[in-house]
């Protein structure tokens, strides 16, 4: 018996080619994505990597996305390679124009570096969201459409806007703490299948009964 879609398939539902399990189309070693996380884009869901920009191996930053995330079309993860030197009089990148200007090439130490960009598990990101370098989005968070995420978003919080700000918590602290301890996304496929009703409910009693 099958207990859900194959996490190693590109399209979990062959009838819906706009939804792609991202981990199965990743080619860059500096991107890591967990099982069942999908990108939804009718214009080519399998082209997710095109939405991770300014991502260069020599800089060393990684994009790390957890399991069971839902990412809508228009996402852009801007990585550290987009940064310009800010400690000098001008931010203009003379060096990339060549023709002698390469003498002004900055060292990596002179460029802002925000570290890895990390998206937790069970995160929902709406359409046309931009995530800036080094941001951490916690487990269970929701990011509203058209947001620009410039700061960390705590687990199980809803955030939106430009710049993105916290709107509210999804649940009370008791349920948030319980879910972070339970980590349902690490359960085997059979256990998830058997408990879909509880997972799709906000009833703490039901959820506690299965853990």
């Amino acid at each position: 018996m099958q207990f859900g879609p194959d996490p190693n398939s590109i399209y979990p539902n062959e009838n819906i080619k706009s939804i792609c399990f991202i981990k199965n189309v990743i080619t860059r070693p500096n991107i890591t994505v967990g099982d069942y996380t999908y990108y939804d884009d009718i214009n080519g869901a399998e082209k997710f990597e095109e939405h991770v920009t300014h991502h260069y191996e020599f800089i060393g930053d990684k994009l790390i996305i957890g399991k069971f995330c839902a990412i809508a079309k228009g996402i852009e993860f801007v990585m550290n390679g987009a940064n310009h030197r800010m400690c000098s009089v001008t931010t203009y990148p003379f060096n990339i124009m060549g023709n002698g200007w390469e003498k002004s090439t900055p060292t990596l130490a002179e460029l802002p570096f925000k570290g890895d960009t990390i998206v937790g598990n069970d995160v929902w990101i709406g359409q046309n969201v931009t995530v800036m370098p080094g941001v951490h989005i916690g487990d269970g968070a929701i990011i509203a459409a058209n947001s620009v995420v410039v700061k960390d978003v705590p687990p199980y919080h809803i955030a939106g806007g430009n710049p993105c700000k916290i709107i509210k918590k999804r649940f009370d602290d008791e349920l948030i703490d319980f879910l972070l301890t339970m980590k349902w996304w690490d359960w085997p496929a059979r256990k998830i299948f058997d408990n879909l009703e509880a997972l799709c409910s906000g009833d703490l009693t039901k959820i506690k009964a299965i853990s």
Side-chain angles (χ1 to χ4, degrees), residues 28-44:
R28 300 183 201 171
N30 46 1
I31 300 177
T32 302
V33 182
D35 288 346
Y36 303 105
T37 285
Y38 73 83
Y39 178 52
D40 183 358
D41 190 340
I42 197 170
N43 295 316

Side-chain angles (χ1 to χ4, degrees), residues 15-31:
N15 297 317
I16 307 176
K17 297 292 187 179
S18 64
I19 293 179
C20 167
F21 279 165
I22 299 172
K23 78 161 195 174
N24 303 311
V25 295
I26 293 299
T27 63
R28 300 183 201 171
N30 46 1
I31 300 177

Side-chain angles (χ1 to χ4, degrees), residues 4-193:
D6 180 359
N8 297 311
S9 62
I10 292 178
Y11 304 107
N13 186 334
E14 287 293 335
N15 297 317
I16 307 176
K17 297 292 187 179
S18 64
I19 293 179
C20 167
F21 279 165
I22 299 172
K23 78 161 195 174
N24 303 311
V25 295
I26 293 299
T27 63
R28 300 183 201 171
N30 46 1
I31 300 177
T32 302
V33 182
D35 288 346
Y36 303 105
T37 285
Y38 73 83
Y39 178 52
D40 183 358
D41 190 340
I42 197 170
N43 295 316
E46 70 282 355
K47 299 176 182 178
F48 173 79
E49 284 184 319
E50 294 180 5
H51 300 270
V52 184
T53 63
H54 307 90
H55 202 193
Y56 311 118
E57 286 189 49
F58 70 89
I59 292 179
D61 57 339
K62 297 179 180 179
L63 171 61
I64 302 169
I65 304 175
K67 302 175 183 177
F68 291 96
C69 293
I71 303 176
K73 68 178 181 179
I75 185 68
E76 182 174 6
F77 289 97
V78 181
M79 304 302 287
N80 285 280
N83 287 323
H84 291 205
R85 179 166 44 197
M86 297 173 64
C87 57
S88 54
V89 171
T90 178
T91 60
Y92 191 84
F94 288 97
N95 58 293
I96 66 173
M97 306 304 169
N99 296 287
W101 281 1
E102 59 274 10
K103 70 178 184 177
S104 70
T105 300
T107 64
L108 288 179
E110 293 177 303
L111 296 172
F113 184 79
K114 303 294 185 179
D116 296 337
T117 299
I118 300 175
V119 178
N121 304 280
D122 191 23
V123 173
W124 174 23
I125 299 178
Q127 291 186 5
N128 303 314
V129 168
T130 299
V131 180
M132 299 304 287
V135 165
H136 291 196
I137 300 175
D139 296 328
I142 297 173
I143 309 299
N146 302 307
S147 297
V148 178
V149 189
V150 298
K151 293 183 179 180
D152 293 355
V153 177
Y156 290 99
H157 281 60
I158 299 173
N162 181 8
C164 193
K165 297 181 180 180
I166 303 302
I167 297 172
K168 65 177 183 178
K169 294 179 182 179
R170 289 184 58 194
F171 309 117
D172 61 32
D173 289 340
E174 180 185 6
L175 181 51
I176 290 174
D177 290 343
F178 185 82
L179 293 173
L180 291 174
T181 300
M182 184 174 72
K183 297 183 179 179
W184 68 264
W185 43 83
D186 288 335
W187 291 352
R190 172 64 186 268
K191 186 173 182 179
I192 292 174
F193 179 85

